[in-house]
Amino acid sequence: MSFFKKIFSKEKKETLDKGLEKSKTSFFDKLSKAVAGKNKVDDDVLDNLEEVLVSSDVGVNTTLKIIDRIEERVARDKYLGTDELNRILREEIAGLLSEIDAGNATEFEIPANKKPYVIMVVGVNGVGKTTTIGKLAYQFKKAGKNVVLGAADTFRAAAIDQLQIWADRTNVPIVKQSMGSDPASVAFDTLKSGVSNNADVIIIDTAGRLHNKINLMNELTKIKKVMQKVVPDAPHEVLLVLDGSTGQNAFEQAKHFTAATEVTSLAVTKLDGTAKGGVVIGISDQFQIPVKYIGVGEGIEDLQVFNKFEFVDSFFK
Ligand SMILES: Nc1nc2c(ncn2[C@@H]2O[C@H](COP(=O)(O)OP(=O)(O)OP(=O)(O)O)[C@@H](O)[C@H]2O)c(=O)[nH]1
Ligand SMILES: [Mg+2]
């Protein structure tokens, strides 16, 4: 099958499989129950499948899209055996993800023509923003890039300390001010420092408190504007971090943030401890934003470049 011709690094694949074990088991338990005792994909099977997808947090709209596509195939092929359902679901899900991006990245890369490449990281508190920034700093540094971190989450003192810990751990410089200072001012300083120190990548942490939409919009817009005084086309990437274990809540957060700012990529964290990996499929389909990274643990190496082929493969094995 063309989707799975890709050759994966075995070690990486094992981590992903292990990380997604919970999602996998649960999805497959449900899927097998959905087709138990049936040879043919009929209305009953489709109803059950719909339930399985919704309860795996794929989301209602995306579930309906998938069911529609399978119905079309049933109508076309007349007889569709349940033994083929796995394969067809895989194809349809990978197909949905393909509509959003090529999805074949395997390495931590940044565009060569943007220097410094500025990533602004947003998301509500506790989703894993700072951790994801630390993991990214580690990967970019490992790839030989000069990385600078900016502690523009000035809302809590601990937030700055936490980013400092990651800066120390990855041996990457950090620009910070005291708690309560203006996040836009920290972002400005970070870009200034990054430019004068020849940074390849600048990653800006932002406050995760739940604002109302207007406040959030104003704050993010201000940070962007101020950064553009230093690097006119910054930020090159607005990375929204979502906690994959929160299911429908992650959808709500995506709605909230995409309304407040232009989100260009997603990181879905905590997929190691959840039965809700389906959220990745639903969110990227519904918001038409590519999932770029997935978090599969708390460790420094527990961040992976999202590859839909690997993901779907792991989900369905
Ligand atoms: N299991 C697991 N835990 C994670 C992952 N990513 C982050 N965490 C944990 O989630 C908790 C919150 O992570 P932070 O990085 O502090 O989250 P944050 O979004 O920066 O939160 P605030 O600074 O409070 O806004 C920490 O205990 C992390 O170790 C992941 O992929 N898997
Ligand atoms: Mg934080």
Side-chain angles (χ1 to χ4, degrees):
M1 210 190 309
S2 64
F3 286 136
F4 304 105
K5 269 185 192 155
K6 243 182 122 39
I7 298 154
F8 311 122
S9 113
K10 190 160 173 283
E11 194 187 324
K12 192 179 163 201
K13 189 80 183 52
E14 274 165 10
T15 332
L16 182 62
D17 286 345
K18 203 167 132 253
L20 294 174
E21 207 139 29
K22 252 184 160 166
S23 320
K24 201 172 66 187
T25 312
S26 163
F27 186 73
F28 273 93
D29 283 353
K30 291 192 225 160
L31 195 60
S32 336
K33 280 193 195 123
V35 299
K38 295 271 190 181
N39 299 317
K40 182 173 179 273
V41 177
D42 56 16
D43 286 351
D44 269 0
V45 169
L46 287 174
D47 280 353
N48 293 342
L49 176 61
E50 193 175 307
E51 246 178 76
V52 171
L53 289 167
V54 170
S55 70
S56 305
D57 268 304
V58 170
V60 176
N61 293 341
T62 305
T63 295
L64 293 179
K65 223 179 198 177
I66 293 170
I67 297 288
D68 271 358
R69 291 178 180 206
I70 293 177
E71 272 176 341
E72 269 169 34
R73 290 177 83 143
V74 172
R76 199 174 58 220
D77 301 349
K78 300 290 180 272
Y79 184 92
L80 196 60
T82 48
D83 52 342
E84 285 189 281
L85 197 57
N86 265 4
R87 182 178 59 83
I88 285 167
L89 261 175
R90 276 187 194 217
E91 282 177 14
E92 293 300 344
I93 290 173
L96 276 183
L97 295 171
S98 308
E99 286 166 15
I100 296 148
D101 69 328
N104 48 15
T106 52
E107 300 298 330
F108 289 84
E109 282 166 348
I110 46 164
N113 56 343
K114 309 268 183 213
K115 187 182 159 86
Y117 184 71
V118 180
I119 306 171
M120 179 166 92
V121 179
V122 302
V124 305
N125 47 319
V127 291
K129 288 185 304 296
T130 306
T131 307
T132 302
I133 292 170
K135 292 167 175 176
L136 280 173
Y138 168 76
Q139 292 292 348
F140 290 136
K141 176 110 198 263
K142 205 167 80 175
K145 308 287 181 204
N146 276 334
V147 185
V148 176
L149 304 181
D153 179 356
T154 60
F155 192 62
R156 297 179 303 121
I160 303 171
D161 298 342
Q162 277 154 5
L163 193 67
Q164 178 73 61
I165 291 171
W166 279 102
D168 293 341
R169 199 176 282 167
T170 53
N171 197 20
V172 152
I174 177 174
V175 174
K176 59 182 186 181
Q177 294 176 10
S178 54
M179 183 195 140
S181 55
D182 180 5
S185 155
V186 178
F188 181 85
D189 284 358
T190 311
L191 265 61
K192 274 275 186 215
S193 159
V195 168
S196 55
N197 289 299
N198 202 29
D200 298 299
V201 192
I202 296 175
I203 314 175
I204 304 288
D205 197 4
T206 64
R209 66 191 189 280
L210 258 182
H211 327 235
N212 66 47
K213 190 179 130 192
I214 299 298
N215 282 345
L216 179 64
M217 201 183 307
N218 289 344
E219 184 164 309
L220 296 177
T221 306
K222 186 176 170 199
I223 296 177
K224 279 183 175 180
K225 264 198 184 137
V226 168
M227 290 199 290
Q228 285 161 2
K229 289 184 183 166
V230 189
V231 177
D233 58 347
H236 304 100
E237 183 170 338
V238 178
L239 178 67
L240 172 63
V241 180
L242 298 169
D243 177 345
S245 69
T246 61
Q248 287 309 301
N249 206 343
F251 276 86
E252 287 308 311
Q253 291 170 18
K255 224 183 268 174
H256 191 75
F257 276 90
T258 50
T261 192
E262 196 196 338
V263 174
T264 61
S265 59
L266 302 172
V268 183
T269 62
K270 307 187 196 182
L271 288 175
D272 47 311
T274 179
K276 298 186 184 285
V279 81
V280 172
I281 299 158
I283 286 181
S284 78
D285 172 52
Q286 229 161 298
F287 294 91
Q288 296 288 302
I289 301 169
V291 175
K292 206 160 173 184
Y293 306 108
I294 57 174
V296 293
E298 299 191 81
I300 198 162
E301 296 199 318
D302 294 332
L303 184 74
Q304 307 198 351
V305 172
F306 178 70
N307 179 299
K308 64 169 180 271
F309 302 111
E310 290 177 9
F311 180 77
V312 174
D313 204 24
S314 272
F315 204 56
F316 277 85
K317 224 172 59 184

